[in-house]
Amino acid sequence: MDGMYRHQRYIYDITRRYYLIGRDQMIADLNPPAGGSVLEIGCGTARNLLHAARRYPTSRFYGLDVSEEMLKTARASISRSPHRDIITLAQADATNFSPSALFNIESFDRIFISYALSMIPPWQAVVDRAASQLAVNGELHIVDFGTMASMPALGRNAMRAWLTKFSVTPRLDLEQVVYETAARQGRRASFQHGRLDYAALARIGAKVS
């Protein structure tokens, strides 16, 4: 990942803004409690963390990424932000991260993952690990590429081929994994298909009483 992003990190946000659809909707849906803790897995350049911090300035924000190169850009961006005192970053593997070891907290009120699962080979383990690190009433929010099943075949095939060049693979069974993970951990879940199934929004919510 460091090799991929060593140079891409400088232009990442500019080149992704037009096709990573649904990120801001997901952030708007977070609605963390006042003073709550919010983690982004695969925080990249910190674009989403900074957006969320502006929207929810009474919360505490945390970000982790496996790429130290991306974290260099994230730290630089956060250092220039008026919200720098409420954001903490760490380098970690999303499949086995420890909130206490990284951030000295036990769990999170909100966790979100934006277009990262499609780049992580053991992505199911990331979903499972994230859901297991939620507070009782916590929520995991996910946005990523959908199945694109409702797109014209030519456009769908072209888009998937283009994504492959960047080691991006839409997770066609994301909906199934979200519901199975929620059931296994005794939590509620919901799934929303975007227009033409281009993007997908998923949520694993509070523990079922």
Side-chain angles (χ1 to χ4, degrees), residues 173-195:
D173 53 344
L174 176 60
E175 182 174 8
Q176 177 183 344
V177 169
V178 164
Y179 280 111
E180 288 178 351
T181 302
R184 187 167 58 252
Q185 299 199 20
R187 292 182 174 273
R188 307 180 190 279
S190 61
F191 198 92
Q192 179 183 345
H193 298 272
R195 185 173 180 269

Side-chain angles (χ1 to χ4, degrees), residues 57-86:
T58 65
S59 295
R60 292 286 310 183
F61 293 89
Y62 304 87
L64 66 84
D65 203 291
V66 73
S67 171
E68 186 59 40
E69 290 297 324
M70 288 296 263
L71 288 172
K72 290 177 182 177
T73 295
R75 293 187 187 104
S77 297
I78 290 169
S79 70
R80 297 190 295 268
S81 167
H83 303 290
R84 57 186 173 273
D85 292 336
I86 62 171

Side-chain angles (χ1 to χ4, degrees), residues 152-189:
L154 184 62
R156 177 176 64 249
N157 293 337
M159 185 63 183
R160 288 183 178 173
W162 187 71
L163 291 174
T164 299
K165 295 180 182 295
F166 298 93
S167 301
V168 175
T169 304
R171 304 310 182 186
L172 304 184
D173 53 344
L174 176 60
E175 182 174 8
Q176 177 183 344
V177 169
V178 164
Y179 280 111
E180 288 178 351
T181 302
R184 187 167 58 252
Q185 299 199 20
R187 292 182 174 273
R188 307 180 190 279

Side-chain angles (χ1 to χ4, degrees), residues 26 41 111-117 126-127 130 140-143:
M26 178 195 63
I41 292 176
I111 298 177
F112 66 97
I113 310 174
S114 171
Y115 286 94
L117 295 179
V126 176
V127 175
L140 168 62
H141 293 247
I142 299 168
V143 62

Side-chain angles (χ1 to χ4, degrees), residues 39 62-64 88-93 96-108 129 133:
L39 169 71
Y62 304 87
L64 66 84
T88 304
L89 301 178
Q91 191 276 336
D93 183 339
N96 60 12
F97 69 94
S98 166
S100 58
L102 293 175
F103 305 115
N104 198 31
I105 62 174
E106 294 304 314
S107 60
F108 298 97
R129 184 63 178 172
Q133 303 307 305

